[in-house]
């Protein structure tokens, strides 16, 4: 690590009083790692497998399907009349509940467990070379759950479905969390980004221009990964249509239920195949050393506490954290509520749900890539794109809210779920790209993994609050659309915090934060929050 000469002064840049070590110092070397095209494409390919079809789409649908077949109409004595077009209930956790409320409640339990788990292991992504191993572990677990569904295809096994539903969601979300954590390092080590930083150090480019170029590069990698995943997922779904035709899934309820489990297992098989290149080709970029007086098992809690404590000092980061907490809850819960309504509208048909997913994924690829092209063409900031995108999430809650008092609109008809798939894919799905990129724009670079984990824990925490509240609303109101009132209000409120986020100011705060922490040794590191370069003696 380069030493800082006492006579060298910090440069001033156009975005404000952001200080960093003299970039002209020849000893101030860049990262020794370089992201190759092969490594980057293996990163993209992994996401084709980690598409959510097993843990996020067909798994939850099969769970709700089993509940519907096992449930009964509450207008008659228990278990004397099968569920039909009316209400459908089952005893669950000490109370007879609507099956949609059961799905939401179980979803909330899953996210609560995820939040606790990430408190324990979330910080590990920032230390040594642990993160890839965690990704591999949860990938294997998720694939194992996918194959386990082959043994759960009878309505009497709905309780076993609860376990697979919860473990499947947890493993899927954890793989997504630790795969995403590799994103900042990959982008920073891109040849063009390293070349841009070298031009800053030689005086050919100012640091503000480099920051904008890095931001665009982050968005490019993020959006390309989503687009490639979407194209790959459509191909997988097309094969699934052929599988369903071969299984004659529409011939009976039993055949349809068995087909659900076959699709889940097939998606798990595809996942493990396309994940292998990433397992072997990802560079084991070194992280931080475990702080003295701590252990690898305690460091997650310690670093989460440190990150959250210091996040309170990072005003812009904290404002975005609140927005991410609230809007993430709105979106996750809205998608879950709409999903339960969609499943019942198409009578849990595997073929209909697969075709709906194909439409949705094509729309998703179109939406994400269109957003990226518009941003690139006009040089629009990440925050502006995210703000525009978040407005459509609120529109989605309004759509559902209309259905509280009318049966004419508000996810009441099959044609609406087809329109929803297009709307969700084009206008809402870019959230998953821009919300993640925005984290990297307001977080200190040396602790990027840790802050990604912090946001992930916060996101998982919010994701179990919404389902719990929505489940209670459905139980009390007996109206499956009533949760949209809560979600609309929460979404509008969350936008206030995004509005006040100042990204240029965040860069200054992050730099000051890293300098202060290097003196306090809170993170055992000393590097620029802006470029990732050393800023002094550790």
């Amino acid at each position: 690590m380069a030493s800082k000469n006492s006579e060298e002064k910090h440069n001033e840049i156009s975005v404000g009083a952001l200080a960093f070590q003299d970039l002209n110092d020849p000893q101030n070397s860049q990262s020794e790692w370089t992201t190759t095209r092969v490594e980057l494409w293996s990163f993209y390919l992994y996401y084709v497998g980690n598409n959510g079809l097993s843990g996020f789409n067909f798994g939850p649908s099969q769970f709700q399907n089993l509940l519907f077949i096992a449930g009964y109409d509450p207008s008659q004595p228990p278990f004397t009349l099968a569920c039909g077009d009316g209400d459908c209930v089952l005893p669950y956790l000490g109370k007879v509940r609507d099956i949609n409320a059961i799905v939401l409640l179980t979803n909330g339990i899953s996210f609560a467990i995820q939040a606790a788990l990430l408190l324990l292991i979330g910080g590990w992504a920032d230390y040594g070379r642990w993160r890839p191993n965690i990704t591999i572990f949860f990938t294997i677990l998720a694939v194992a759950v996918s194959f386990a569904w082959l043994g759960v295809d009878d309505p009497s096994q709905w309780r076993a479905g609860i376990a697979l539903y919860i473990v499947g969601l947890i493993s899927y979300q954890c793989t997504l969390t630790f795969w995403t954590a590799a994103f900042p390092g990959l982008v920073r080590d891109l040849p063009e980004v390293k070349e841009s930083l070298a031009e800053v150090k030689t005086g050919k480019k100012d640091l503000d221009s480099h920051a904008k170029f890095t931001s665009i590069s982050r968005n490019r990698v993020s959006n390309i990964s989503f687009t490639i995943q979407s194209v790959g997922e459509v191909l997988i779904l097309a094969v699934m249509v052929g599988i369903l035709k071969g299984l004659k899934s529409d011939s009976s309820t039993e055949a349809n239920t068995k087909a659900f489990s076959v699709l889940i297992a097939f998606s798990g098989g595809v996942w493990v195949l396309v994940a292998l290149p990433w397992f072997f080709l990802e560079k084991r970029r070194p992280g931080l050393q475990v702080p003295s007086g701590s252990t690898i098992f305690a460091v997650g809690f310690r670093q989460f506490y440190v990150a959250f404590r210091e996040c309170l000092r990072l005003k812009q980061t904290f404002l975005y954290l609140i927005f991410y907490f609230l809007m993430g809850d709105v979106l996750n819960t809205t998608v879950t509520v709409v999903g339960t309504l969609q499943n019942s509208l198409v009578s849990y048909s595997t073929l209909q749900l697969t075709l709906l997913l194909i439409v949705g994924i094509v729309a998703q690829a179109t939406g994400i890539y269109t957003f990226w092209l518009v941003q690139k063409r006009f040089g629009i900031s990440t925050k502006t794109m995210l703000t525009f995108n978040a407005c459509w999430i609120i529109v989605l809650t309004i759509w559902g809210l209309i259905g509280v008092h009318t049966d004419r609109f508000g996810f009441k008809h099959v044609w609406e779920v087809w329109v929803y798939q297009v709307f969700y894919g084009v206008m809402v799905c870019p959230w998953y790209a821009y919300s993640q990129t925005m984290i990297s724009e307001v977080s200190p670079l040396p602790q990027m993994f840790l802050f990604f984990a912090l946001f992930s824990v916060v996101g998982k925490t919010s994701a179990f609050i919404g389902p719990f509240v929505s489940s209670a609303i459905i139980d009390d109101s007996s109206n499956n659309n009533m949760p949209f009132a809560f979600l609309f209000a929460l979404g509008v409120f969350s936008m206030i915090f995004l509005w006040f986020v100042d990204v240029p100011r965040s860069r200054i705060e992050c730099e000051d934060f890293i300098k202060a922490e290097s003196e306090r040794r809170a993170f055992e590191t000393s590097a620029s929050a802006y470029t990732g370069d050393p800023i002094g003696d550790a």
Side-chain angles (χ1 to χ4, degrees):
M1 181 175 293
S3 299
K4 181 166 63 176
N5 190 302
S6 60
E7 294 184 2
E8 291 178 345
K9 302 297 181 182
H10 296 297
N11 296 337
E12 296 290 323
I13 63 173
S14 60
V15 296
L18 175 59
F20 64 108
Q21 185 183 13
D22 185 1
L23 290 170
N24 293 308
D25 182 355
Q27 291 183 309
N28 194 2
S29 61
Q30 299 182 11
S31 169
E32 63 180 283
W33 305 94
T34 298
T35 300
T36 63
R37 183 176 295 273
V38 173
E39 183 186 17
L40 187 60
W41 273 91
S42 68
F43 176 79
Y44 294 151
L45 192 60
Y46 178 89
Y47 197 30
V48 173
N50 190 12
N51 50 45
L53 287 178
S54 57
F56 192 73
N57 294 116
F58 290 119
S61 294
Q62 172 71 315
F63 175 52
Q64 189 180 352
N65 175 54
L66 293 174
L67 293 177
F68 179 79
I69 301 173
Y72 64 89
D73 191 322
S75 65
Q76 301 296 322
F79 300 104
T80 59
L81 180 63
C83 296
D85 295 331
D87 293 335
C88 184
V89 300
L90 274 173
Y92 183 64
L93 296 181
K95 182 179 179 180
V96 175
R97 305 175 188 272
D98 184 280
I99 63 168
N100 288 348
I102 292 176
V103 172
L104 286 166
L105 186 57
T106 308
N107 189 270
I109 292 171
S110 171
F111 279 110
I113 296 173
Q114 289 175 49
L117 184 62
L118 286 172
L119 275 174
L120 174 64
I121 66 174
W124 293 10
D126 214 27
Y127 292 88
R129 294 174 171 85
W130 276 82
R131 182 185 46 72
N133 297 330
I134 299 173
T135 304
I136 293 172
F137 170 78
F138 280 111
T139 301
I140 294 173
L141 178 60
V143 171
V145 170
S146 298
F147 285 107
W149 273 107
L150 289 173
V152 181
D153 55 8
D154 187 273
S156 64
Q157 299 173 302
W158 67 271
R159 291 178 179 83
I162 294 174
L164 294 182
Y165 174 67
I166 291 176
V167 178
L169 273 179
I170 291 173
S171 55
Y172 163 67
Q173 294 287 354
C174 286
T175 55
L176 200 59
T177 295
F178 284 93
W179 170 81
T180 303
F183 165 68
L186 280 175
V187 176
R188 182 198 171 201
D189 291 342
L190 286 170
E192 60 268 30
V193 174
K194 296 180 71 173
E195 182 180 353
S196 175
L197 180 57
E199 290 178 356
V200 175
K201 294 179 178 182
T202 58
K204 295 181 180 179
K205 178 186 288 187
D206 63 73
L207 191 53
D208 192 29
S209 297
H210 170 69
K212 292 178 180 178
F213 179 78
T214 303
S215 176
I216 290 294
S217 298
R218 288 173 183 149
N219 281 303
R220 174 173 58 84
V221 171
S222 180
N223 286 306
I224 289 176
S225 68
F226 274 94
T227 302
I228 292 174
Q229 187 255 19
S230 299
V231 173
E233 192 171 355
V234 168
L235 296 177
I236 294 171
L237 289 168
V239 174
M240 286 182 170
V241 171
I243 292 174
L244 293 174
K245 293 293 185 181
L247 294 173
K248 299 180 180 179
S249 60
D250 285 344
S251 62
S252 66
T253 300
E254 292 75 15
N256 186 68
T257 302
K258 190 174 188 64
F260 263 124
S261 295
V262 172
L263 294 186
I264 296 169
F266 175 74
S267 65
V270 172
W271 187 355
V272 72
L273 286 176
V274 298
L276 290 175
W278 178 241
F279 292 166
F280 291 106
L281 295 173
E282 180 188 7
K283 294 181 174 66
R284 299 287 177 124
R285 294 170 174 83
L288 304 176
Q289 294 182 350
V290 176
S292 57
S294 185
T295 67
I296 192 63
F297 297 102
V299 73
F301 290 97
R302 179 182 183 274
Q303 292 300 79
F304 176 82
Y305 164 74
V306 171
F308 186 78
R309 181 194 69 196
E310 301 305 331
C311 189
L312 298 178
R313 292 170 51 200
L314 297 169
K315 181 180 177 181
Q316 310 309 317
T317 310
F318 188 63
L319 285 173
Y320 183 65
L321 185 70
I322 297 174
F323 165 76
Y324 187 82
F325 176 91
L326 297 175
M327 187 58 80
D329 189 21
V330 172
L331 179 57
N332 289 330
T333 308
T334 297
V335 170
T336 302
V337 173
V338 174
T340 60
L341 298 175
Q342 173 181 274
N343 290 338
S344 60
L345 284 171
V346 300
S347 301
Y348 306 96
S349 168
T350 49
L351 182 58
Q352 287 291 311
L353 290 173
T354 302
L355 294 174
L356 281 166
L357 279 172
I358 291 176
V359 172
I361 298 305
V362 171
Q364 172 182 305
T366 302
I368 291 173
Y369 201 65
T370 300
F371 267 62
W372 157 243
L373 289 177
V374 170
Q375 182 187 23
K376 182 180 179 181
R377 171 67 178 82
F378 297 101
I380 303 173
S381 69
T382 299
K383 179 190 170 182
T384 301
M385 297 298 294
L386 182 61
T387 302
F388 177 74
N389 169 248
C391 290
W392 294 106
I393 298 176
I394 295 175
V395 171
L396 186 59
T397 65
I398 296 174
W399 185 346
L401 183 58
I402 294 173
V404 171
H405 298 296
T406 180
D407 289 331
R408 295 182 178 181
F409 190 74
F411 303 111
K412 302 289 187 176
H413 308 280
V414 174
W415 67 264
E416 285 188 82
V417 298
W418 288 94
V419 176
Y420 160 73
Q421 289 293 341
V422 175
F423 175 86
Y424 174 75
V426 174
M427 305 307 300
V428 177
C429 275
W431 158 271
Y432 299 104
Y434 287 105
S435 64
Q436 293 295 313
T437 303
M438 189 68 178
I439 295 174
S440 65
E441 302 239 342
V442 296
S443 301
L445 183 58
Q447 280 74 45
M448 193 70 76
F449 288 159
L450 177 62
F451 275 80
F452 262 85
L454 170 64
F455 274 83
S456 183
V457 171
V458 168
K460 300 300 181 293
T461 303
S462 71
F464 77 76
I465 294 174
F468 283 157
V469 173
S470 297
S471 176
I473 291 174
I474 291 175
D475 281 337
D476 291 342
S477 66
S478 297
N479 188 322
N480 290 323
N481 284 67
M482 190 59 73
F484 289 112
F486 160 71
L487 296 170
F488 167 71
L490 190 61
V492 172
F493 178 66
S494 71
M495 293 296 290
I496 298 173
F497 297 94
L498 180 61
W499 178 264
F500 285 107
V501 173
D502 185 333
V503 176
R505 178 62 190 170
S506 177
R507 296 169 188 154
I508 300 172
E509 292 178 353
C510 287
E511 189 71 21
D512 291 342
F513 162 76
I514 289 299
K515 288 179 61 183
E517 291 308 315
S518 68
E519 296 173 0
R520 295 168 52 188
R521 307 278 180 167
F523 290 107
E524 301 288 332
T525 188
S526 180
S528 170
Y530 205 33
T531 66
D533 291 327
I535 60 174
D537 295 326

